[in-house]
Amino acid sequence: MEKVMIGKRQEVTLSLTALLANGHVLLEDVPGVGKTMLVKALAKSLDCDFKRIQFTPDLLPSDVTGVSIYNQKEMNFQFRNGPIFGDIILADEINRTSPKTQAALLEAMEEMSVTVDGVTKSLQQPFFVMATQNPMDYEGTYPLPEAQMDRFLIKLQLGYPSEAEEIEMLERNDRKQPINELASVISIDTLRMMQEQVEMIYVDQTVRRYIVELIRETRKAPHVQLGVSPRGSIYLMKAAKAYALIQDRDYVIPDDVKFLAPYVLPHRMVLKPEAKYEEITVDDVIQQVLQSVEVPIRKEILE
C-alpha cells in the first residue's frame, strides 16, 4: 500500500487494524489528500471485491442495499444486490446524503445484514467500510449524529504530505499510476483466518482495567458533556488485539491501548459549548486523560 500512499505508514497500519478487528473507518479530511486512493490500495492488496458508493443528496436507501425487480418471464420479484454487498466498501462523502440513506449504510455496518421488503439478507465476510467526509464544506450536507459516529471503530485524518513526500509523489505519478501496479499479497481466506486469530489474542486483566479507567475518566473530564460509551471500551480492546497481531504478538500491552486511544475515542465524545471558547479540543481532552491515568506496569518487570 505504501507504493501508493507515500509517508502514510501509520494511517495504513491503523486501516489494517480496523479491518482485522472487524471494524470500520471514518476518513475526515480535505479533498485531494488520498482518501479514496487509500481504500483502493487496501482492496487491491487484499484481493477483495471493491465497491464504491458516491453519496449524493438524491441517493435512496435502495441504491445502497439493492432493490427487488419484477421478472415478467418468471412472474416473480428478483432481488438485485446493491453495492453494499462487497468486501471493501468506499462510502464517499457520506455526509452529503440524507439521514435515511445514511441509516441504511450504518445498519449494515452494525448488524452485518440488510433488510429489503421485510427479508433480512446477511452480508459476506469480510465486510469493511471506509467512509469519507469533507470537514471544510458543510453547505448542503447532513452531518453524522454522535450516535452514528460511534459505529466507526477508528477516525482518521491523512493531512498534507511533507515537501519531500510530495516531490516523490510527483515522480511516481509522472508517467504511470502506481495503483494500477498493485497486486494482491494475501487471499481473502487468509484475511478471514487473520480476523479469527485476532479473537484469540490474550488481554490481561490489568490491561482491561486500564481500558476501563481511561473510558471512565473521559466521562469525568470537566470539559466533556458526553463521555465515551461502553461500546467505546469494547472497540478499544478489539482494536488493541488487532494491533497486537500486526506487531507479531499474541498478547496486548498497555502501549497498544495508549497508541490507539487518540484514534478510537475522540469521535465518541461531545464537549461542552464553553470548551470551544477556551480553544480546547477533543484531542486535548484525550491527551489529558492519558496523562492522568497511570499505565499499569508489572512489579517483576521493574525488578
Side-chain angles (χ1 to χ4, degrees), residues 35-45 50 52 179 182:
K35 299 188 295 294
T36 303
M37 197 61 66
L38 174 63
V39 190
K40 287 183 176 180
L42 178 64
K44 292 198 71 172
S45 299
F50 172 71
R52 176 175 180 170
I179 187 70
L182 282 188

Side-chain angles (χ1 to χ4, degrees), residues 87-267:
D87 300 322
I88 308 291
I89 311 296
L90 170 60
D92 217 356
E93 296 190 284
I94 188 175
N95 58 332
R96 291 208 172 275
T97 194
S98 65
K100 182 185 293 186
T101 307
Q102 289 176 358
L105 172 69
L106 294 164
E107 176 194 359
M109 290 166 53
E110 182 69 17
E111 307 295 336
M112 286 296 296
S113 63
V114 296
T115 302
V116 181
D117 298 332
V119 179
T120 300
K121 300 180 179 296
S122 299
L123 298 174
Q124 59 191 17
Q125 284 280 11
F127 174 67
F128 178 63
V129 175
M130 264 195 173
T132 70
Q133 61 179 7
N134 179 9
M136 303 303 295
D137 184 12
Y138 284 108
E139 185 176 353
T141 62
Y142 303 87
L144 290 175
E146 286 76 13
Q148 294 184 357
M149 294 272 285
D150 200 40
R151 306 287 178 91
F152 293 95
L153 176 65
I154 288 175
K155 181 180 177 183
L156 289 179
Q157 292 180 329
L158 295 180
Y160 289 116
S162 65
E163 181 179 355
E165 292 168 352
E166 198 158 1
I167 292 174
E168 185 180 352
M169 192 181 304
L170 294 180
E171 293 175 351
R172 292 192 188 183
N173 288 270
D174 187 16
R175 297 181 181 179
K176 53 188 176 182
Q177 182 62 262
I179 187 70
N180 297 329
E181 298 184 349
L182 282 188
S184 60
V185 291
I186 63 171
S187 65
I188 194 169
D189 292 332
T190 304
L191 175 59
R192 294 192 185 106
M193 182 184 69
M194 293 174 68
Q195 290 177 329
E196 293 174 359
Q197 287 179 337
V198 168
E199 299 177 1
M200 305 302 294
I201 298 296
Y202 174 72
V203 184
D204 192 75
Q205 188 67 24
T206 57
V207 177
R208 293 178 185 174
R209 187 177 295 109
Y210 179 54
I211 293 174
V212 172
E213 288 177 356
L214 288 175
I215 300 302
R216 295 182 68 84
E217 195 66 25
T218 64
R219 303 168 190 166
K220 302 175 186 176
H223 295 94
V224 175
Q225 180 175 330
L226 182 65
V228 180
S229 67
R231 179 191 288 167
S233 59
I234 296 174
Y235 278 5
L236 183 55
M237 183 182 69
K238 287 184 175 181
K241 293 171 70 173
Y243 185 72
L245 181 66
I246 291 175
Q247 300 301 317
D248 200 23
R249 279 186 274 105
D250 59 358
Y251 57 91
V252 175
I253 61 175
D255 282 348
D256 296 336
V257 177
K258 194 171 184 178
F259 169 73
L260 291 166
Y263 303 100
V264 178
L265 302 183
H267 60 285

Side-chain angles (χ1 to χ4, degrees), residues 65-83:
T65 60
V67 64
S68 296
I69 300 176
Y70 184 72
N71 188 325
Q72 292 185 342
K73 185 177 180 180
E74 301 290 338
M75 297 185 65
N76 59 9
F77 283 93
Q78 296 181 350
F79 180 73
R80 299 287 180 87
N81 290 343

